[in-house]
Amino acid sequence: MAPHQSPNGHDTPGGANGAKGGSSSRASVLSTKATSVLSTSFLDEDTRGSLNILDQAGFRNSAETRRQLRLHIQKEVIDSNGEVINDFAQVAEQLRDTGLIIARLKERSNLVAERVAAANLQTGPIMADLCWLLKLRHRDMAEYLLHRWIIDHFTVSDEDRASLVVRDGIVDDAFFDAVAKMKLIVADSRVLVLFGKERLAGDVVSMAIAMLNGGFEKAGRWVDIQLKTLDFDNPQVGPLMRRALRFLAERPAKFQASLEKLATSRARVLSDAFTVALRGSLDGAEANFRPIEHSADDPLRYTGDIFAWVHSTAVSERETLEGLFMIQSESLEKGYAVEDAPWNQLQATHPERYDAYKELNELVGRILGDVSERLKARIKHVLSFADNPSTVYKLGNLIAFYRSTFANLLGSTGPIDHTLLKLDRLSGDTFTKMIRDRAREVKSEPVQVTADLAPPAFLEEALAELREIMNSYDNSIAPGSDAVSGFDLILKDTLEPYLLLCEDMAKELKQPTSSIFRLNFFLATKKELELFDFTKDTAEDMGDIVQIEMKEVVGHLLKNFIRQSGIQDLLEGALTVPQDSREPWKAIRDLPAFQPRALAAASQVLDSFLPSAVIDASKSIGRLRDPNMVRAITETAASSFCKQFEFVERKILEIDSMGTEEAAERNVQRGTHHVDEDTEGFDDEVPGAPERLRPHFPRQSYELRILLLS
């Protein structure tokens, strides 16, 4: 046997060595397979499926089972394929049977179709004749029904004709049934046109319209009679009246004519009622109520009663007419429909050019036209005889209030609003003229300041008038309005002329009398203005003026304090020396006022001044009418005086201190004075020092504050 060659080309011995090599190779292959099987994950679908099949087949892991495994699997596949082939054989057999059945059905259907076609050939002419006969019958029936409908529909009975044409008859349900039939004839006349009967349609429409016109005339006369006899204090409007008004509303001209007759009639009635309310009766008989003219001596009550009567009458007329011509929610609950009211229907039909409430307000305005003219004449008379501006202003507020009230009730375009607008302007002009005339009268009369410097009588009268005006204005302010700017013009006319006149009077006085007089009349004015929010800004401006005048009085009292206390020369002397000069204390020390004898005299004057200083000062401004302000001014002046005294006191102490220090330094330089090293100060008595001023003017500032401010 030839020796084996190794892969590297060397010969290898055979025999045992070869067997040994083959066994090693098989072991390696088996190990590789085992490793591959063991490394396969159970998550692999093929492996998991194979294992599941083995479990389901019930195989046991043995040597015999492993040898027959492949054969057993192949046997199962062959058996399964055989079963599938048998199933397909059965399906093929069933398909052959189905084909035979379909062929038989086709033969029978062809036979039925041949028989039906033969029957149609026999019955076709008969059915055609029958359809033609039915069409002829339907056409003849339609023509018969149409002619019958035309005869019945366009024929007017004698009863309907009498209901519409008879002028003096009543308006009842038969009348409205006839009206409805005439409207229907007019609307349905188009049918005649469609059938070519234009001439007949024209004749029918002309006849129907002529009868409708007669119906409108009859309804108009009947409505006029009913409105004249209607009790507006307790109006009871039936359904026939509502339907008649609704019918008239279809002819706006006739409807407006009826409204004008109603307005004329009601205006005459209300004019008489207004006369009765004013005088008590038309013929002068005694009334069982208090007539309005009995309060003519009280302009406000008289005017208010007139306005109240007119407003009550306007509300009553509007409610009555609204119930007559319009349908409200409570009427709908009683069974009335919206179309029963003429104005509701007109507004629903023509919303872009018809406003029911506007028409209602205009009608009420026309009814109240005569009353409004008489109202204007009465109010003009009251304004012309008013005796004071506050009354005129209150009348103006009353007019403005009722103008707003009537505008909410009847709108802002009617005769009532125009009348009240003229009266409002007239009251404003009358008020302004009266205020300015009174101011000119006051200026033309010479007025002197009283001895007690009280506000002039004309100012007190003007403030009393202003108080009344402000009360009336405060009660008439509308929420959200600019009350401040609205009252500025009134203040300009009612207050400024008198304040300017008081200012001119104050210019002729000397101080502090002039400032005290200014304070008195400004404080009186400020007190009145502070009562209302809309004048608080003006009151604050006057407060600034009061502060300025207070400073003037304080300055005057301070000058009196300085002059009467004896420190005026000391203060003026100290202030005349420039502080930037060399050794200003020496210049002050050399002044005559700072000499020991002069200081002693000033001290005596000061001592005699202090006990009664505050009382004297208060008396000097005692004509100021505010005690609290007198006290405040006096305390302010006293406090300022104490500050001035402190300045003089500091200068005196500075002179003594600087003179002592200068003498001590001079003695030290000469060696004649010993300085204590422990105290580092000079002895009280320094040789060569000038005479001390403090002993001649011993008063201290805290003593003044106790005497003047405590």
Side-chain angles (χ1 to χ4, degrees):
M1 176 179 274
H4 295 279
Q5 287 187 342
S6 63
N8 55 9
H10 299 286
D11 294 336
T12 59
N17 292 335
K20 184 178 180 180
S23 175
S24 175
S25 176
R26 285 194 299 273
S28 177
V29 172
L30 182 61
S31 175
T32 301
K33 289 183 178 181
T35 302
S36 175
V37 171
L38 293 175
S39 64
T40 302
S41 174
F42 186 73
L43 298 176
D44 183 65
E45 292 183 0
D46 295 336
T47 302
R48 188 168 63 254
S50 300
L51 294 176
N52 289 333
I53 291 172
L54 292 176
D55 290 340
Q56 294 173 359
F59 288 108
R60 295 182 178 180
N61 189 9
S62 63
E64 183 179 359
T65 302
R66 288 194 295 271
R67 287 194 299 270
Q68 295 178 359
L69 178 61
R70 182 184 297 276
L71 296 175
H72 183 74
I73 292 172
Q74 290 176 351
K75 179 179 177 300
E76 289 184 352
V77 171
I78 291 171
D79 293 341
S80 177
N81 291 337
E83 293 176 357
V84 172
I85 291 172
N86 291 333
D87 292 341
F88 273 106
Q90 294 177 1
V91 170
E93 185 66 23
Q94 292 177 357
L95 290 174
R96 283 193 296 271
D97 295 341
T98 302
L100 293 174
I101 293 171
I102 292 173
R104 292 174 184 174
L105 291 174
K106 185 176 181 181
E107 291 176 359
R108 292 182 180 180
S109 64
N110 291 333
L111 180 61
V112 171
E114 291 175 357
R115 293 178 180 178
V116 170
N120 287 334
L121 290 175
Q122 295 176 0
T123 60
I126 298 174
M127 293 301 297
D129 294 340
L130 179 61
C131 290
W132 179 73
L133 291 175
L134 288 175
K135 288 181 180 179
L136 289 178
R137 182 178 182 279
H138 286 310
R139 187 184 64 183
D140 294 341
M141 181 59 67
E143 291 181 355
Y144 170 77
L145 293 176
L146 177 61
H147 284 85
R148 188 66 186 174
W149 177 81
I150 291 174
I151 293 172
D152 294 339
H153 191 69
F154 292 100
T155 301
V156 181
S157 64
D158 295 336
E159 292 79 5
D160 293 339
R161 189 183 304 274
S163 298
L164 293 175
V165 176
V166 176
R167 302 182 61 183
D168 298 331
I170 63 173
V171 174
D172 52 7
D173 292 336
F175 171 84
F176 290 109
D177 292 341
V179 168
K181 186 170 185 179
M182 293 303 104
K183 292 181 179 179
L184 187 61
I185 289 175
V186 173
D188 292 343
S189 62
R190 292 174 296 178
V191 177
L192 299 177
V193 177
L194 294 177
F195 284 95
K197 306 295 183 179
E198 291 85 357
R199 183 176 179 181
L200 178 59
D203 295 340
V204 169
V205 170
S206 299
M207 178 270 298
I209 291 177
M211 296 187 70
L212 281 176
N213 290 335
F216 280 114
E217 293 292 337
K218 180 178 179 179
R221 287 191 297 273
W222 186 80
V223 166
D224 292 341
I225 295 173
Q226 296 298 317
L227 290 178
K228 288 180 181 179
T229 58
L230 180 65
D231 184 7
F232 270 63
D233 294 331
N234 186 21
Q236 297 293 332
V237 181
L240 290 177
M241 183 65 176
R242 292 185 181 279
R243 293 181 67 183
L245 290 172
R246 169 66 184 88
F247 177 58
L248 278 182
E250 297 178 8
R251 293 288 176 89
K254 293 187 177 298
F255 184 66
Q256 289 297 329
S258 295
L259 292 183
E260 290 300 329
K261 293 178 182 178
L262 173 63
T264 303
S265 175
R266 290 302 301 167
R268 185 163 51 251
V269 171
L270 292 184
S271 179
D272 294 341
F274 186 52
T275 302
V276 172
L278 289 174
R279 302 175 182 176
S281 65
L282 291 174
D283 54 2
E286 185 177 356
N288 56 359
F289 62 92
R290 179 183 174 86
I292 296 176
E293 288 187 348
H294 284 189
S295 59
D297 56 338
D298 185 354
L300 290 176
R301 180 178 177 181
Y302 177 68
T303 305
D305 290 345
I306 292 177
F307 274 123
W309 187 91
V310 175
H311 178 260
S312 175
T313 302
V315 171
S316 177
E317 289 292 313
R318 191 180 190 279
E319 290 178 352
T320 302
L321 294 175
E322 187 175 9
L324 185 62
F325 296 109
M326 301 179 69
I327 294 296
Q328 304 301 317
S329 58
E330 57 271 14
S331 298
L332 293 175
E333 295 174 359
K334 295 178 181 178
Y336 293 108
V338 172
E339 57 269 16
D340 290 335
W343 281 343
N344 289 95
Q345 184 63 23
L346 285 174
Q347 184 172 357
T349 307
H350 308 288
E352 70 284 352
R353 58 186 177 88
Y354 194 88
D355 187 348
Y357 282 99
K358 182 179 179 182
E359 292 291 332
L360 173 63
N361 294 336
E362 290 180 354
L363 178 58
V364 177
R366 292 197 298 272
I367 292 174
L368 295 175
D370 186 36
V371 173
S372 65
E373 290 298 323
R374 297 180 62 185
L375 168 70
K376 180 171 68 173
R378 294 277 175 169
I379 303 303
K380 281 185 176 181
H381 179 77
V382 172
L383 289 173
S384 63
F385 284 93
D387 55 353
N388 56 72
S390 62
T391 301
V392 175
Y393 185 78
K394 291 178 182 179
L395 288 173
N397 283 340
L398 186 63
I399 293 170
F401 168 75
Y402 273 102
R403 183 189 174 201
S404 175
T405 303
F406 277 107
N408 293 331
L409 179 66
L410 302 176
S412 57
T413 58
I416 286 286
D417 185 76
H418 294 163
T419 298
L420 295 182
L421 176 60
K422 294 178 181 179
L423 290 176
D424 191 12
R425 292 174 179 173
L426 177 62
S427 65
D429 295 341
T430 304
F431 172 75
T432 303
K433 182 178 181 300
M434 188 174 292
I435 287 293
R436 292 176 180 176
D437 290 344
R438 179 166 294 188
R440 283 194 292 268
E441 290 177 3
V442 172
K443 290 180 180 180
S444 63
E445 298 176 359
V447 182
Q448 298 296 329
V449 180
T450 58
D452 59 352
L453 301 182
F458 66 81
L459 180 61
E460 293 182 349
E461 294 176 0
L463 291 178
E465 291 281 350
L466 180 61
R467 189 185 311 115
E468 294 291 331
I469 292 172
M470 289 190 294
N471 281 323
S472 179
Y473 182 79
D474 186 52
N475 294 329
S476 64
I477 295 175
S481 60
D482 189 0
V484 177
S485 61
F487 200 72
D488 286 342
L489 295 177
I490 298 176
L491 281 179
K492 184 177 181 180
D493 289 331
T494 58
L495 186 61
E496 286 187 8
Y498 303 103
L499 291 179
L500 292 175
L501 186 57
C502 291
E503 286 282 3
D504 295 337
M505 296 170 62
K507 291 178 182 179
E508 299 177 359
L509 303 176
K510 297 181 180 180
Q511 290 291 359
T513 306
S514 175
S515 293
I516 293 174
F517 179 63
R518 285 191 177 92
L519 285 173
N520 283 336
F521 70 75
F522 274 123
L523 286 174
T525 305
K526 180 173 176 289
K527 182 180 179 181
E528 296 293 339
L529 296 179
E530 286 176 339
L531 298 176
F532 301 93
D533 293 336
F534 52 86
T535 54
K536 282 188 175 180
D537 292 341
T538 306
E540 290 177 359
D541 295 339
M542 288 194 177
D544 297 338
I545 299 175
V546 168
Q547 293 297 324
I548 294 173
E549 297 300 331
M550 285 179 63
K551 290 179 180 179
E552 291 290 336
V553 179
V554 169
H556 177 77
L557 286 184
L558 178 60
K559 291 180 182 179
N560 287 344
F561 280 156
I562 294 173
R563 185 179 66 256
Q564 295 173 7
S565 64
I567 68 170
Q568 182 174 2
D569 294 339
L570 297 174
L571 184 62
E572 291 177 353
L575 293 174
T576 56
V577 176
Q579 295 300 313
D580 56 352
S581 61
R582 185 178 181 182
E583 296 181 338
W585 64 274
K586 286 185 178 181
I588 296 174
R589 178 68 175 77
D590 294 336
L591 294 174
F594 282 87
Q595 300 306 311
R597 184 173 297 177
L599 283 175
S603 179
Q604 292 179 0
V605 174
L606 178 62
D607 291 341
S608 61
F609 162 76
L610 289 176
S612 62
V614 176
I615 296 175
D616 294 341
S618 298
K619 288 182 179 180
S620 66
I621 61 173
R623 290 179 291 180
L624 183 59
R625 309 190 82 181
D626 188 349
N628 294 328
M629 185 170 289
V630 171
R631 183 166 53 255
I633 291 175
T634 304
E635 291 177 355
T636 304
S639 178
S640 299
F641 173 72
C642 291
K643 293 179 181 179
Q644 299 295 330
F645 180 82
E646 288 175 359
F647 174 75
V648 174
E649 184 183 22
R650 286 197 303 271
K651 293 301 179 182
I652 292 175
L653 294 176
E654 181 182 359
I655 291 171
D656 289 346
S657 175
M658 296 303 294
T660 302
E661 290 180 4
E662 184 181 33
E665 290 178 359
R666 194 165 51 248
N667 292 337
V668 169
Q669 292 175 0
R670 296 175 181 174
T672 59
H673 189 70
H674 176 69
V675 178
D676 190 351
E677 295 179 357
D678 294 333
T679 60
E680 295 184 358
F682 297 101
D683 296 336
D684 292 337
E685 296 295 335
V686 179
E691 183 180 1
R692 295 171 62 85
L693 302 180
R694 185 61 172 171
H696 300 285
F697 199 81
R699 283 289 183 182
Q700 299 184 23
S701 58
Y702 77 88
E703 295 177 344
L704 266 68
R705 292 190 176 276
I706 292 174
L707 293 173
L708 299 179
L709 300 177
S710 60

